[in-house]
């Protein structure tokens, strides 16, 4: 989960960085997340941490 949720977001942002910099307004990165990072649940440690 860490690989996908954290490193995946990092890698795709890095790949798009030059395009974002060339955008007229500098571009925007929007990351959609889960409430699990705020309200963890039993058995979800790996998901909640990522």
């Amino acid at each position: 989960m860490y690989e996908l949720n954290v490193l995946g977001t990092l890698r795709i942002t890095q790949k798009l960085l030059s395009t974002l910099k060339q955008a007229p307004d500098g571009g925007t990165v929007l990351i959609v997340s889960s409430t699990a990072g705020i309200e963890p649940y039993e058995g979800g440690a790996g998901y909640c941490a990522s």
Side-chain angles (χ1 to χ4, degrees):
M1 279 186 239
Y2 183 83
E3 178 76 28
L4 179 66
N5 292 342
V6 177
L7 298 181
T9 302
L10 173 68
R11 290 179 182 138
I12 194 70
T13 303
Q14 287 175 326
K15 294 277 186 192
L16 295 172
L17 201 53
S18 63
T19 304
L20 290 169
K21 287 180 179 179
Q22 293 173 11
D25 294 329
T28 301
V29 176
L30 176 67
I31 300 171
V32 178
S33 183
S34 167
T35 60
I38 298 169
E39 296 182 31
Y41 57 91
E42 187 174 340
Y47 178 73
C48 294
S50 71

